[in-house]
C-alpha cells in the first residue's frame, strides 16, 4: 500500500485526501499545525487549523481563509478522516491524525511534553506511523524541567533588578514570550516591558483567557537610559544598540533550548542563557514514540540522523523524512 | 560551602560573563578568600598548567557508554554537537541530585580524588568515575571531568588570570607573574608564597616575564625618526632567556619550557658569564655561519639523544638581543640603549661562538630599511624587529615600543574541501577547514586553517557547509568544491607525511575569494615551483628538512 503521507516539493502531502500539512508553497488545502512562520506559509487557498489557534494564524497570515477544528473533531476530506490533537508546543499547536483504509498516521508538528500554562498538554494519539519532529534529537538535550528553569530565570531577574539594571529576556515573539509572561506573572509586581512585536500576540492570548504578567511597551518609556530595575522581553533581532539605549545597564539572556549547551551560550555572547524549550527533549521524544505504539517512525526537522539510527537499533522501522525546506533557517522562528 | 563548590562557582562566574572586568573581579574575590592550597590549585589550572591526564577521553567515553547504555556512536555524535567532552559526559552520566556535594576543598579533591587516578588500575579509576556519576550533580560532574582533563577553557587567558589573582592578592600583575615563572607545585606552601609580602626564597632559576612585540600595522614612518629605533632581524628560532645565577645556568623558552638540558652547547659556555646575568634572545642553529630554517631547530629539539654528531652538525647559537639582569640587579627599567651598550661589551662584536650579539641592521633611513626588509626571505629571516632605544623592558605585549615588521606571507588560492566543527566557543559551528589545490583534475589537500574569517563570514560559511555536504566521515563533512580562499603561509617545505608532498607553515585565511571560481584555484605544480624557488633563495636549507615527529615546539616559531 502506498504511504498515506509523502514528502513532495511543496511539503508533506496526503494523496488520498488531496491536502498538504504545513506546506511551504501555496496549495489548495493546507492543514496547518501552528502559526510559527516555518509551518504557516502564506498563499494557500484554505487553511485548516485548531480552533484555539485560529486567531494567531490569522494574525500571522492576514486575509487568509482559515477553518477551525475543535480538538478531536473529525473532518472527512475525500474519505480521509482528519482530526487535530494538542501538541503542547504553543497555544493552538496541533498534531494531525490522518486515518484512511484502517491505517492511522500522526504528524506531530512541533511538540513538548512539559507543562505550559498557555496551552493544553500534549495528547498521546495511538498510530501505526508517527512523523516526529527531531529538533533536539540527541541525548545531551535533557531539560531540567520548567519549574527549575523558571526558578533560575526569576532569581536572575530579581538580582538584576535589585542592582538597578534591566534584565532583558530575548525570546521568540509567539509562544515562548507568552509562556514566560504567564510564568512570571506570580513573581513580578511591576509590568514587564515588551518590544512592539510581542504586544499584539499578548493581546490575542489575553483575549483567549490566558493570564499574563502586565506589560508596557518599551517605546513608551524615555528615550535614553531611563528604564531602571525592570524585566524586558524582546525578540533577539531587537537587541541592537539603538533600541537598548533606553535601558539602564541591560543584561542579556537568551531563552531557548539551544542554551542547554555551554558552547551555544558562549557563541551568542549573552550574559546568561536559559534552556526553556517548547520542543521535546531526547527523553521526551523517546517516551512519545513509545507511547504512540507506532511501528514506523519518520523523523523530520533538525538533525534526525542520530534518532533514526537509534530507533532502528531498537527494532523500530525508522527513516528520515527528507527534503530541506527552502529558506528555512534553524534559528529563525521555531520556538526552540 | 565546600572549597570544591566555591571553585565551581568561580568557574560559572567566569563562564557566564563576557565582561573582562567581571572576570577579573571574580578571580580577585576568589584569591581573597580561598585557602592557600586552593589558591595554588586554582592558579595552576587557570593559568593553563597541565598534569599528565590520568584517564584518556576515549576510555571515559567507553565507560560512559556502559554506564548509560547508550551506544558509543551516539555518545560520539553528542560530543560533536557539544564540542566539549567534560560537558557531554556530565550531561549524559550524572545521576546525582546535588544533595551529595563533595565536602572537600579544591585541593583535597585534586589530591584525594584526581591525582590518585594517575597511579590507579583501570578498574579502580572506573569505580571513582562511577561514584562521581552516581553522586554528583551535573555541575559538579562537569567540574570534576574538567579537573581530570586539565584544560578548563573558560574564556580566561593566563594573562587575565594573573591580573585577577594579583588584584585579589594586592600586588601588581608583574609581581605575581614573576612568582609563577619556573617550576612549582600547587601546594599550600606555594599558595602562601604567592600571598607572602616578601618573596624571600625566590627560585634562582626563574626567568622574567617576556616582553613581546606587536605586529606593525602602519608603515614605520608613523613611529617617528629612524634614529630613535634599533632595527634587528627577526630570527625564526626559539625565543629564550639565558639565566646565570648562583653559579648555575638556566635556559627557558617563552612557553616556560625548561630548555637547559637540551642545549648543553649554550649552557656550558654561558657558565663563563658573570653571576647575576639574564640575557633575552633567540636560539637558532647555525651552520658555517648561516642561520638554518626553523625546521632544522625543530628536528634537533625532537632528539632525545644529543649525540656528539648532532651537536656538531646542528650547533646552537644564542643570538642575544637584550640584557635584563646585570650584576644581580633588575635592569628592566633602564633604557634599551643602556642595556645594549653593556650587552655589546659583554659579548663582543665577533660573529662566532655560541653566544652572539644579535646585530643591528644598519640602514640610514626608513626607505633603506624597507629595502633590506624586502630581502628577508632570501636571508632566511621573518622580517625586522623595531625597538625604541629609550624603551624599558616591559612584560606582556604592550604596544608602542617594540614592533615586529614581518614580511608579507606567501599566498595561494585554495578550494575548501572538508569542514569539521570547532571546539569551545566554536563548537557546533563548522570552523576547521581543509583546503586543496588542483593536481590535474584532482583536488589534493594541502593545508588546514582555523582562523582568518570574521564571525559573520563564519556563520555564512557554516550555513553553506550544512546545505552543501556531499559526504560525511564521522565529524568531517566533505563539501562541494566551490569556495576559494586566499591562504597566507610563512614557509613551505617538502613532506613525505602529506599526500601533496609539501607542508606549509602557519597557514591562515587571508580572504574569501568570492570572485574566483574553483577551477581557477592554484595548482600543485605551482606550489612545487614555489618550494624550489624558496630552496634556491636559501641554499642552506636542506631539501629533506622535516621534523622527525610532531613536536611540542611546533608553536614556538613566532614568539617574538
Amino acid at each position: 500500500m502506498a504511504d498515506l503521507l509523502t514528502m513532495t516539493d511543496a511539503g508533506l502531502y496526503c494523496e488520498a485526501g488531496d491536502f498538504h500539512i504545513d506546506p511551504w508553497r501555496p496549495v489548495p488545502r493546507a492543514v496547518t499545525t501552528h502559526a510559527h512562520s516555518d509551518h504557516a506559509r502564506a498563499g494557500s487557498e484554505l487553511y485548516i487549523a485548531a480552533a484555539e489557534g485560529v486567531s494567531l494564524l490569522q494574525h500571522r497570515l492576514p486575509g487568509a481563509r482559515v477553518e477551525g477544528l475543535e480538538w478531536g473533531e473529525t473532518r472527512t476530506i475525500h474519505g480521509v478522516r482528519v482530526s487535530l490533537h494538542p501538541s503542547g508546543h504553543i497555544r493552538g499547536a496541533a498534531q494531525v491524525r490522518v486515518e484512511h483504509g484502517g491505517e492511522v498516521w500522526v504528524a506531530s508538528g512541533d511538540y513538548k511534553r512539559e507543562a505550559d500554562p498557555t496551552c493544553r498538554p500534549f495528547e498521546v494519539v495511538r498510530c501505526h506511523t508517527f512523523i516526529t519532529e527531531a529538533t533536539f534529537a540527541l541525548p545531551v538535550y535533557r531539560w531540567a524541567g520548567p519549574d527549575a528553569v523558571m526558578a533560575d530565570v526569576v532569581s536572575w531577574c530579581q538580582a538584576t533588578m535589585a542592582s538597578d539594571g534591566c534584565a532583558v529576556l530575548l525570546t521568540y515573539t509567539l509562544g515562548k514570550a507568552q509562556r514566560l509572561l504567564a510564568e512570571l506573572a506570580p513573581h513580578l509586581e511591576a509590568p514587564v516591558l515588551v518590544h512592539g512585536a510581542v504586544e499584539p500576540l499578548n493581546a490575542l492570548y489575553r483575549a483567549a483567557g490566558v493570564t499574563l504578567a502586565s506589560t508596557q511597551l518599551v517605546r513608551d518609556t524615555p528615550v535614553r537610559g531611563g528604564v531602571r530595575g525592570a524585566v524586558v522581553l524582546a525578540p533577539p533581532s531587537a537587541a541592537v544598540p539603538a533600541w537598548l539605549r533606553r535601558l539602564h545597564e541591560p543584561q542579556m539572556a537568551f531563552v531557548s533550548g539551544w542554551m542547554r549547551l555551554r558552547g551555544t551560550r558562549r557563541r551568542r555572547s549573552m550574559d546568561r542563557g536559559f534552556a526553556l524549550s517548547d520542543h521535546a527533549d531526547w527523553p521526551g521524544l523517546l517516551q512519545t514514540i513509545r507511547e504512540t505504539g507506532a511501528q514506523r517512525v519518520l523523523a523530520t526537522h533538525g538533525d534526525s540522523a542520530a534518532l533514526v539510527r537509534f530507533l532502528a537499533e531498537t527494532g523500530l522501522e525508522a527513516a528520515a523524512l527528507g527534503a530541506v525546506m527552502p529558506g528555512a533557517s534553524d534559528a529563525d522562528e521555531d520556538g526552540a | 560551602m565546600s572549597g570544591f563548590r566555591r571553585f565551581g562557582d568561580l568557574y560559572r562566574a567566569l563562564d557566564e560573563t563576557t565582561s573582562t572586568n567581571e572576570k577579573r573581579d571574580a578571580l580577585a574575590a576568589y584569591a581573597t578568600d580561598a585557602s592557600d592550597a586552593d589558591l595554588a590549585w586554582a592558579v595552576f589550572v587557570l593559568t593553563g598548567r597541565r598534569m599528565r591526564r590520568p584517564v584518556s577521553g576515549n576510555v571515559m567515553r567507553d565507560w560512559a557508554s556502559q554506564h548509560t547504555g547508550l551506544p558509543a556512536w551516539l555518545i560520539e555524535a553528542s560530543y560533536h554537537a557539544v564540542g566539549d567532552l567534560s560537558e557531554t559526559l556530565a550531561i549524559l552520566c550524572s545521576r546525582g541530585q546535588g544533595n551529595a556535594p563533595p565536602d572537600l576543598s579544591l585541593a583535597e579533591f585534586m589530591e584525594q580524588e584526581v591525582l590518585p587516578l594517575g597511579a590507579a588500575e583501570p578498574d579502580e579509576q572506573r569505580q571513582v568515575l562511577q561514584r562521581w556519576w552516581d553522586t554528583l550533580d551535573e555541575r559538579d560532574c562537569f567540574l570534576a571531568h574538567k579537573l581530570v582533563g586539565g584544560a578548563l577553557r573558560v574564556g580566561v587567558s593566563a594573562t587575565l588570570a594573573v591580573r585577577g589573582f594579583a588584584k585579589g592578592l594586592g600586588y601588581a600583575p608583574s609581581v605575581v607573574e614573576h612568582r609563577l615563572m619556573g617550576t612549582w607545585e600547587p601546594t599550600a606552601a606555594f599558595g602562601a608564597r604567592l600571598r607572602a609580602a616578601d618573596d624571600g626564597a625566590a627560585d634562582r632559576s626563574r626567568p622574567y616575564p617576556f616582553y613581546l612585540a606587536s605586529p606593525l600595522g602602519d608603515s614605520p614612518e608613523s613611529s617617528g625618526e629612524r634614529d630613535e629605533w634599533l632595527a634587528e632581524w627577526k630570527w625564526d628560532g626559539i625565543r629564550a632567556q639565558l639565566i646565570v645565577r648562583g653559579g648555575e645556568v638556566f635556559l627557558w623558552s617563552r612557553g616556560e619550557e625548561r630548555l637547559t638540558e637540551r642545549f648543553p652547547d649554550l649552557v656550558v659556555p654561558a657558565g663563563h658569564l658573570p653571576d647575576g646575568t639574564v640575557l633575552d634572545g633567540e636560539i637558532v642553529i647555525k651552520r658555517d655561519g648561516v642561520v638554518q630554517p626553523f625546521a632544522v631547530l625543530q628536528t634537533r629539539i625532537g632528539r632525545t639523544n644529543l649525540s656528539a654528531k648532532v651537536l656538531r652538525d646542528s650547533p646552537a647559537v644564542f643570538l642575544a638581543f637584550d640584557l635584563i639582569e646585570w650584576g644581580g640587579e633588575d635592569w628592566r627599567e633602564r633604557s634599551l640603549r643602556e642595556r645594549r651598550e653593556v650587552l655589546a661589551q659583554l659579548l663582543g662584536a665577533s660573529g662566532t661562538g655560541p653566544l652572539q650579539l644579535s646585530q643591528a641592521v644598519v640602514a640610514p633611513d626608513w626607505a633603506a630599511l624597507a629595502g633590506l626588509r624586502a630581502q628577508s626571505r632570501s636571508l632566511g629571516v621573518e622580517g625586522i624587529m623595531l625597538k625604541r632605544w629609550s624603551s624599558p623592558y616591559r612584560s606582556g605585549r604592550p604596544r608602542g615600543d617594540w614592533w615586529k615588521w614581518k614580511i608579507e606571507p606567501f599566498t595561494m588560492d585554495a578550494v575548501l574541501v572538508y569542514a569539521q566543527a570547532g571546539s569551545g566557543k566554536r563548537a557546533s559551528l563548522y570552523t576547521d577547514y581543509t583546503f586543496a589545490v588542483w593536481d590535474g583534475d584532482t583536488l589534493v589537500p594541502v593545508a588546514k586553517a582555523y582562523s582568518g574569517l570574521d564571525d559573520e563570514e563564519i556563520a555564512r560559511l557554516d550555513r553553506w557547509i550544512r546545505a552543501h555536504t556531499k559526504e560525511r566521515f564521522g565529524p568531517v563533512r566533505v563539501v562541494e568544491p566551490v569556495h576559494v580562499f586566499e591562504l597566507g603561509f610563512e614557509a613551505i617545505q617538502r613532506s613525505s607525511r602529506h599526500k601533496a608532498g609539501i607542508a606549509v607553515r602557519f597557514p591562515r585565511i587571508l580572504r574569501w575569494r568570492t570572485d574566483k571560481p574553483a577551477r581557477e584555484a592554484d595548482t600543485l605544480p605551482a606550489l612545487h615551483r614555489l618550494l624550489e624557488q624558496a630552496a634556491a633563495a636559501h641554499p642552506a636549507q636542506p631539501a629533506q628538512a622535516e621534523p622527525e615527529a610532531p613536536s611540542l615546539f611546533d608553536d614556538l616559531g613566532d614568539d617574538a
Side-chain angles (χ1 to χ4, degrees), chain A residues 146-163:
Chain A
D147 291 348
V149 180
M150 281 314 300
D152 283 350
V153 173
V154 168
S155 70
W156 178 76
C157 287
Q158 285 169 343
T160 307
M161 288 160 73
S163 67

Side-chain angles (χ1 to χ4, degrees), chain A residues 138-142 152 251 260-267 269-272 282 303 306 309-310 313, chain B residues 11 15-16 70-71 73-74 78 81-82 84 87 91-92 94-95 138 142 153-155 425 427-429:
Chain A
L138 281 173
V140 281
Y141 293 109
R142 277 201 332 208
D152 283 350
Q251 300 282 305
R260 182 66 177 83
L261 303 182
R262 270 171 78 236
T264 29
R265 285 203 300 274
R266 292 170 58 160
R267 178 149 64 84
S269 287
M270 293 283 160
D271 296 303
R272 285 295 291 268
W282 173 261
D303 204 349
R309 181 172 169 189
F310 185 82
E313 288 182 3
Chain B
Y11 188 97
D15 196 40
E16 284 174 355
L70 294 171
W73 65 263
L74 190 51
S78 299
V82 177
D84 182 309
E87 183 180 359
I91 296 174
L92 296 179
S94 159
R95 297 288 175 267
E138 186 184 317
F142 170 68
R153 275 210 176 127
V154 67
K425 188 179 175 190
S428 76
L429 274 179

Side-chain angles (χ1 to χ4, degrees), chain A:
Chain A
M1 194 165 80
D3 281 350
L4 197 49
L5 297 173
T6 53
M7 193 52 85
T8 68
D9 287 349
L12 201 55
Y13 179 60
C14 177
E15 192 180 352
D18 189 23
F19 62 86
H20 289 79
I21 297 175
D22 290 351
W24 49 78
R25 288 192 188 151
V27 298
R29 212 177 277 107
V31 178
T32 303
T33 60
H34 64 285
H36 276 150
S37 59
D38 53 339
H39 293 260
R41 302 276 176 132
S44 289
E45 285 167 36
L46 173 67
Y47 295 84
I48 298 169
E52 199 176 275
V54 168
S55 65
L56 297 171
L57 198 58
Q58 280 171 330
H59 175 77
R60 283 302 177 92
L61 305 175
R65 209 178 120 217
V66 184
E67 275 182 30
L69 279 186
E70 294 302 325
W71 294 123
E73 176 189 351
T74 299
R75 171 86 186 272
T76 304
I77 308 174
H78 300 304
V80 176
R81 292 162 58 84
V82 176
S83 58
L84 302 179
H85 305 266
S87 80
H89 175 57
I90 64 168
R91 187 165 177 80
Q95 308 172 71
V96 184
R97 182 183 185 278
V98 179
E99 182 184 344
H100 183 64
E103 195 180 346
V104 178
W105 287 50
V106 168
S108 74
D110 293 338
Y111 65 95
K112 72 168 174 285
R113 302 302 303 265
E114 298 182 320
D116 177 340
T118 67
C119 64
R120 283 168 184 259
F122 180 93
E123 177 189 331
V124 174
V125 182
R126 304 278 297 177
C127 57
H128 299 103
T129 300
F130 185 55
I131 301 178
T132 183
E133 65 138 316
T135 306
F136 291 108
L138 281 173
V140 281
Y141 293 109
R142 277 201 332 208
W143 310 144
D147 291 348
V149 180
M150 281 314 300
D152 283 350
V153 173
V154 168
S155 70
W156 178 76
C157 287
Q158 285 169 343
T160 307
M161 288 160 73
S163 67
D164 224 20
C166 289
V168 185
L169 297 169
L170 298 175
T171 186
Y172 306 102
T173 52
L174 166 57
K176 187 78 64 66
Q178 291 72 35
R179 183 181 178 193
L180 279 168
L181 287 169
E183 294 275 11
L184 286 170
H187 302 281
L188 297 177
E189 284 169 20
V192 174
L193 297 173
V194 297
H195 185 269
V198 179
E199 192 58 15
L201 295 160
N202 295 345
L204 294 174
Y205 270 65
R206 288 191 181 106
V210 180
T211 304
L212 305 182
S214 64
T215 51
Q216 186 192 341
L217 285 170
V218 172
R219 65 166 173 261
D220 293 342
T221 62
V223 175
R224 204 168 275 278
V227 178
R228 291 166 175 269
V231 176
V232 182
L233 208 61
S237 58
V240 293
W243 190 78
L244 291 171
R245 71 184 173 185
R246 288 172 190 268
L247 311 177
H248 178 70
E249 291 184 6
Q251 300 282 305
M252 317 293 280
F254 193 47
V255 186
S256 159
W258 298 111
M259 295 295 109
R260 182 66 177 83
L261 303 182
R262 270 171 78 236
T264 29
R265 285 203 300 274
R266 292 170 58 160
R267 178 149 64 84
R268 285 260 178 180
S269 287
M270 293 283 160
D271 296 303
R272 285 295 291 268
F274 297 106
L276 186 77
S277 179
D278 286 331
H279 291 267
D281 60 1
W282 173 261
L285 292 170
L286 298 186
Q287 176 197 352
T288 305
I289 289 163
R290 195 172 55 243
E291 288 176 354
T292 62
Q295 282 307 301
R296 185 176 174 208
V297 177
L298 302 174
T300 180
H301 273 78
D303 204 349
S304 55
L307 179 64
V308 167
R309 181 172 169 189
F310 185 82
L311 294 174
E313 288 182 3
T314 63
L316 286 179
E317 186 186 345
L321 194 59
V324 176
M325 210 184 322
S329 142
D330 52 7
D332 235 20
E333 192 202 69
D334 60 357

Side-chain angles (χ1 to χ4, degrees), chain B residues 377-398:
Chain B
R377 188 100 63 199
S378 63
L379 294 168
V381 297
E382 297 183 305
I384 282 179
M385 300 295 304
L386 294 173
K387 296 172 182 172
R388 199 187 293 276
W389 279 116
S390 60
S391 62
Y393 188 97
R394 303 174 194 273
S395 31
R397 206 187 288 276

Side-chain angles (χ1 to χ4, degrees), chain B residues 7 10-11 14 27 30 40-49 150 152-162 165:
Chain B
F7 185 71
L10 170 64
Y11 188 97
L14 297 173
L27 291 159
Y30 185 84
W41 274 106
V43 170
F44 185 87
V45 295
L46 282 167
T47 54
R49 297 195 179 234
L152 290 192
R153 275 210 176 127
V154 67
V156 173
S157 65
T159 314
L160 176 57
V162 168
F165 288 128

